[in-house]
Amino acid sequence: MSHKKNKLYILILMLVSWVFLLLAGKESLKKYLPASMFMSFLVYSENVFAERVKWWTITTRLFPNVNGIMPFVIGVFLSGSVWILKFTYKNIYLYVLVNFLVDTFFTYPFYSLFKKLGVWKLIRLRQYQLSLLFFVKSLLMYAFQKFIGDRLYSKNERPASKQQGLY
C-alpha cells in the first residue's frame, strides 16, 4: 500500500480520536487528562528509545521531521487513556481487564494490520513483550491517576458554598 494512503489512514485515525476525546466531556477531561498526558509523554519517550535500540521502527510519518509515533500519541493513546480511565478507574479489576483487552487488540490484530500496510514493524521486540510493556504502562497510568491526578483534580474542585461566597 502506498505511503500516501497510509498517511491518510493515520490522519483519519488521529482526527477520529480527537472527536471521541471531546465526547468524553469537560469533567472527564479535567479529571483524567493529566494522567493521559503523562501516558502520552511516556509513550513518546519510549518510542524515541525503542527506535534507537531497534525494538521497532515506524516507517510512515505524517511529516518528515516529526516522530512517527506522534499522531498515535496525540490521537489514539491520549483519547483511549481518557476513555479507559473514565469508565474503569474506580474498579481496578475492570481497569486491568479492559487494558489487557485493548492492549491485546493493539498488539495483535492492529499491529498485524499496520505491519502489513508498512506503517511500522517490530524488530528486536516480540509481540508478547510489547503486550507486557503496554501492561506495565497501564499500571503506571493508574498509579499516576491515583496518586497525582486525583490530587490535581480535587484542588480544582471547590464546594458550591465556597464558590458562591457562602461559608
Side-chain angles (χ1 to χ4, degrees):
M1 184 145 306
S2 76
H3 279 293
K4 281 187 177 185
K5 279 189 177 181
N6 289 346
K7 285 182 179 186
L8 179 62
Y9 293 146
I10 293 169
L11 184 62
I12 290 170
L13 187 62
M14 185 177 67
L15 294 174
V16 168
S17 296
W18 288 348
V19 169
F20 278 100
L21 182 62
L22 294 175
L23 293 174
K26 185 178 177 182
E27 284 303 308
S28 293
L29 288 176
K30 281 174 37 177
K31 186 171 186 175
Y32 300 121
L33 200 55
S36 299
M37 289 173 61
F38 163 74
M39 182 53 54
S40 294
F41 175 75
L42 188 63
V43 168
Y44 177 81
S45 300
E46 170 193 61
N47 184 71
V48 170
F49 174 78
E51 285 196 308
R52 196 168 286 146
V53 297
K54 306 260 186 251
W55 282 356
W56 60 73
T57 186
I58 299 174
T59 54
T60 300
R61 299 173 187 267
L62 282 184
F63 305 102
N65 295 327
V66 176
N67 192 302
I69 197 73
M70 191 55 75
F72 299 101
V73 166
I74 64 174
V76 175
F77 289 114
L78 183 69
S79 180
S81 296
V82 168
W83 279 98
I84 287 172
L85 286 167
K86 177 180 174 136
F87 286 115
T88 66
Y89 176 63
K90 295 298 178 184
N91 183 336
I92 183 70
Y93 301 110
L94 182 61
Y95 177 83
V96 168
L97 175 65
V98 168
N99 269 286
F100 173 77
L101 294 174
V102 169
D103 295 347
T104 299
F105 175 78
F106 184 83
T107 304
Y108 292 94
F110 192 74
Y111 165 72
S112 297
L113 173 66
F114 271 47
K115 181 181 175 186
K116 186 176 181 179
L117 293 174
V119 173
W120 74 289
K121 68 178 179 176
L122 294 173
I123 301 172
R124 292 186 177 159
L125 203 67
R126 300 195 186 276
Q127 284 176 290
Y128 77 89
Q129 292 169 315
L130 183 63
S131 259
L132 183 60
L133 197 55
F134 279 134
F135 182 70
V136 169
K137 287 185 296 190
S138 70
L139 296 178
L140 288 173
M141 182 171 71
Y142 191 89
F144 184 97
Q145 181 63 38
K146 185 98 175 139
F147 298 109
I148 296 172
D150 285 352
R151 286 184 180 91
L152 290 173
Y153 182 71
S154 66
K155 286 181 183 178
N156 293 331
E157 293 299 300
R158 289 192 170 138
S161 61
K162 286 187 179 182
Q163 287 178 352
Q164 297 171 354
L166 302 173
Y167 293 97

